[in-house]
Amino acid sequence: MDYWSHSFSVDDEFKKLVLRMNPPRVTVDNTSNKKATLIKVDSANKRGSLLQVVQVLSDFNLIVKRAYISSDGEWFMDVFHVTDQYGKKLSEDNVAERIQQSLGPRGRSFRSLERSVGVQSAAKHTTIELTGRDRPGLISEIFAVLADHKCNVVAAEVWTHNSRMASVVYITEEESGLAITDPDRLALIRKLLFFVLKGDRDRWGANTAVSVGSTHTGRRLHQLMYADRDYDKDDTGCVPVDQRKPLVTVESCADKGYTVVTLRCPDRPKLLFDAVCTLTDMQYVVYHATIVAEGPDAYQEYYIRHVDGYPISSDAEKQRVIHCLEAAIKRRTSTVQTHPNAN
């Protein structure tokens, strides 16, 4: 092992040691604010920490009304003002305790998100990921292929945007109810689904993937559509124009060495998760952020740098961030969830 490899290995192990010595500390405050429950998270900083926290809050279907995020340095401190789906403070049942268990020292979310609400278990299901051109009747054709090959669809979620479609489908063996692991059978199913997706008009290409492993559905759908470049495609010319297009700006903050991203749009559930997920997948780190969503509209402001520590330097990259965030906001508005034969 050369010097540099040894140095990086030591650095990684030291970071792991720091995290073990300083596990996330979660405080749930239900008294300081009359309208919202305050969730405070403090921990040693590591890449992806913010996304993991936001993901857990999103999976519990909590509405973030206001948030203050700071992770500049070796520590991060986040404060979230949240309510339930009905705009009420969290009740005195086990919801707060479950959040603490998911984010706190005994939780696993900072190492593995397999216990998170939105994550499907590896042992129970086979996961099928699909991307392709959207068209009427496509999902019915996909389900028909699976039914013909004795697959039980446990759950599926479909997103469409700019005439593109991405879907994560969880299946089991019809007779046994277990995950399908036979490689030949899975290869055949994948081949048939590819032909369905491809059709005769998909100029951009279709993709299928089959795995037996855990995945977070929302995160994976964002990644699939981002990889499919739905943010700069429109091969139908018939995409309806939104009356209230999201307003995203990207500006330089030269004196502080950050790029400032602001987002304004009608508020909706999981909006914060969608924005943070997109910035993370685009290899940006959020150092500071302010979130305000106490009315019909949401305002989000992020101070970011690329993972290499530098701010955005080109106009082309700024436009790419704008288009990707706009796409991330719009994708979920066309979500279809199905549980046709859920066990």
Side-chain angles (χ1 to χ4, degrees):
M1 179 183 294
D2 60 37
Y3 170 79
W4 292 109
S5 297
H6 177 71
S7 177
F8 287 135
S9 177
V10 171
D11 287 344
D12 289 342
E13 290 303 317
F14 178 74
K15 290 178 180 178
K16 293 177 182 177
L17 175 62
V18 171
L19 288 172
R20 288 195 296 269
M21 294 176 62
N22 300 277
R25 182 169 62 90
V26 182
T27 303
V28 179
D29 180 357
N30 223 3
T31 60
S32 297
N33 190 292
K34 294 182 179 180
K35 296 182 178 180
T37 298
L38 274 60
I39 298 177
K40 304 175 184 179
V41 184
D42 303 309
S43 174
N45 194 16
K46 74 179 183 67
R47 186 183 169 197
S49 294
L50 174 60
L51 177 58
Q52 291 175 332
V53 173
V54 171
Q55 181 171 304
V56 170
L57 299 180
S58 174
D59 289 343
F60 278 104
N61 295 315
L62 299 181
I63 308 300
V64 178
K65 294 296 185 180
R66 188 177 287 266
Y68 304 97
I69 294 159
S70 179
S71 60
D72 200 348
E74 298 300 321
W75 202 262
F76 82 91
M77 295 173 287
D78 302 339
V79 180
F80 300 91
H81 297 225
V82 305
T83 68
D84 62 18
Q85 299 178 76
Y86 307 102
K88 305 295 185 181
K89 296 173 64 173
L90 303 190
S91 60
E92 296 297 334
D93 57 16
N94 65 342
V95 174
E97 180 182 352
R98 289 161 58 200
I99 295 172
Q100 288 180 310
Q101 289 176 348
S102 296
L103 294 177
R106 293 187 299 274
R108 296 176 57 190
S109 62
F110 277 70
R111 289 167 292 164
S112 169
L113 286 167
E114 293 180 6
R115 293 177 58 190
S116 187
V117 178
V119 177
Q120 298 293 329
S121 170
K124 295 181 179 179
H125 310 133
T126 300
T127 304
I128 299 177
E129 299 174 351
L130 309 167
T131 56
R133 180 183 179 276
D134 187 30
R135 56 182 170 80
L138 177 60
I139 300 302
S140 296
E141 293 179 28
I142 291 171
F143 285 174
V145 169
L146 296 174
D148 288 344
H149 288 79
K150 308 301 182 183
C151 301
N152 176 51
V153 178
V154 178
E157 187 163 345
V158 183
W159 288 5
T160 61
H161 178 243
N162 269 1
S163 78
R164 304 302 295 174
M165 181 279 300
S167 178
V168 176
V169 185
Y170 301 101
I171 63 172
T172 58
E173 162 62 45
E174 188 176 76
E175 293 184 1
S176 67
L178 302 176
I180 300 172
T181 58
D182 178 35
D184 293 334
R185 184 179 179 188
L186 291 176
L188 175 60
I189 293 172
R190 179 180 178 181
K191 180 179 180 180
L192 294 173
L193 290 176
F194 176 79
F195 288 141
V196 171
L197 288 169
K198 187 70 174 176
D200 58 0
R201 295 184 59 192
D202 194 343
R203 295 183 293 150
W204 301 104
N207 286 288
T208 62
V210 179
S211 64
V212 181
S214 59
T215 183
H216 185 276
T217 306
R219 176 87 190 273
R220 192 66 189 124
L221 285 167
H222 274 302
Q223 291 172 333
L224 290 171
M225 299 209 81
Y226 175 68
D228 195 48
R229 298 180 65 88
D230 72 310
Y231 53 87
D232 64 4
K233 291 179 182 175
D234 181 1
D235 60 357
T236 65
C238 299
V239 178
V241 178
D242 294 343
Q243 294 182 351
R244 300 187 63 190
K245 183 179 179 180
L247 176 60
V248 182
T249 62
V250 180
E251 300 177 350
S252 298
C253 182
D255 58 329
K256 300 294 185 181
Y258 295 114
T259 297
V260 184
V261 178
T262 61
L263 185 159
R264 295 178 176 88
C265 67
D267 191 28
R268 62 161 173 78
K270 303 185 186 297
L271 179 64
L272 176 59
F273 169 78
D274 294 338
V276 173
C277 182
T278 299
L279 291 172
T280 302
D281 287 340
M282 294 184 73
Q283 304 299 304
Y284 294 109
V285 178
V286 176
Y287 288 86
H288 303 281
T290 301
I291 312 298
V292 180
E294 295 179 328
D297 296 328
Y299 172 81
Q300 301 182 3
E301 182 180 68
Y302 300 94
Y303 287 75
I304 68 171
R305 294 181 186 139
H306 196 266
V307 291
D308 60 11
Y310 291 96
I312 297 174
S313 58
S314 71
D315 291 337
E317 184 65 10
K318 290 179 179 179
Q319 286 300 313
R320 182 166 170 264
V321 171
I322 291 172
H323 293 158
C324 288
L325 284 172
E326 288 177 346
I329 294 169
K330 294 177 181 178
R331 289 172 194 150
R332 195 181 290 275
T333 60
S334 57
T335 296
V336 176
Q337 291 181 308
T338 62
H339 302 269
N341 297 301
N343 292 326

